[in-house]
Amino acid sequence: MAIDIKTLALALAMLVSAGCAQLQPAQEQMQALAAAPVPASTSVQQADARLADSAALRAAAELRFAEREQVCYAQFFVNNCLDRAKSERHAALEGLRPIEIEAARFKRAYAVEQRDLALAASNEKTDAQPPAARPQKTPAAPASVPKARAPRQQKPVAASDDAKRAANVVAYEKKRAAALQRQREIAAKQAAREAEAAAKKP
């Protein structure tokens, strides 16, 4: 029985060392790729091509990880195998991120440059027109102001509004008096209960 355990331990050690030997060149290659500076894009087409290549490599890394994950679940040391697979995926994706960032930055800068050129051309066109031909900016008419933003205007007070207001005041005073009366009754009942309780105690 001891021979079997020793043989098993030796075989596992050989498998682990073989796996590490295969993993090291791939990791070194990915680290070299990540450490190398990313060359700047020179055109939008080149940036788009880099983003497409990066997306394809990212999908390939994810697919490779999914395949390795399935293989790992069939092995005895599942977590060790999964950790190595995750490490490989991380190394592959880490090398892609700087490329994606640079290409996206170039595309944003190019879009800003194009927008600035279009704005400058529009301003030059407007400045080239004689003042009489320029469209005059007129302030918006008060009627075009949205209803929610329009200032509140005073409504003319009608006699019926005064009567409604007076009726509301009378109704409020009645409710207030009724509420005060209820509070007095509750307080009287509470006092009577407390007096009864005090009388019952020896």
Side-chain angles (χ1 to χ4, degrees):
M1 191 68 169
I3 296 172
D4 291 336
I5 293 174
K6 285 182 182 180
T7 307
L8 180 64
L10 183 61
L12 287 174
M14 288 173 56
L15 283 174
V16 169
S17 65
C20 289
Q22 290 176 354
L23 181 62
Q24 284 176 348
Q27 282 184 338
E28 290 172 1
Q29 185 182 17
M30 290 300 178
Q31 287 174 353
L33 181 64
V38 178
S41 297
T42 56
S43 68
V44 175
Q45 291 81 12
Q46 184 183 18
D48 285 338
R50 284 182 175 181
L51 287 173
D53 291 344
S54 177
L57 290 173
R58 183 175 292 276
E62 293 295 338
L63 180 64
R64 198 167 39 249
F65 172 73
E67 290 170 353
R68 288 284 310 270
E69 191 176 28
Q70 294 303 317
V71 170
C72 287
Y73 286 125
Q75 293 184 2
F76 183 73
F77 293 112
V78 175
N79 289 340
N80 188 19
C81 182
L82 284 176
D83 289 343
R84 281 186 281 142
K86 287 177 186 177
S87 174
E88 284 181 12
R89 179 182 64 173
H90 179 72
L93 296 181
E94 185 179 24
L96 296 177
R97 191 69 186 132
I99 297 169
E100 293 170 344
I101 289 172
E102 192 283 325
R105 183 207 54 80
F106 179 82
K107 287 183 70 173
R108 280 193 308 273
Y110 182 78
V112 167
E113 183 181 322
Q114 293 302 312
R115 194 169 46 242
D116 289 346
L117 289 174
L119 185 62
S122 173
N123 286 342
E124 286 177 9
K125 184 179 176 183
T126 304
D127 291 342
Q129 290 178 349
R134 289 185 191 165
Q136 296 295 323
K137 293 183 180 179
T138 58
S144 67
V145 175
K147 190 172 187 178
R149 301 183 96 197
R152 293 186 179 191
Q153 296 178 0
Q154 295 291 335
K155 292 181 182 177
V157 179
S160 63
D161 287 345
D162 289 338
K164 285 181 186 177
R165 210 172 275 130
N168 288 343
V169 169
V170 170
Y172 172 75
E173 290 300 327
K174 280 184 183 180
K175 286 182 182 180
R176 186 170 173 234
L180 287 173
Q181 181 61 30
R182 276 194 302 273
Q183 287 178 353
R184 284 188 208 119
E185 290 172 2
I186 291 170
K189 286 180 183 179
Q190 183 69 29
R193 280 190 210 137
E194 289 176 0
E196 244 180 71
K200 288 183 180 179
K201 286 185 179 179

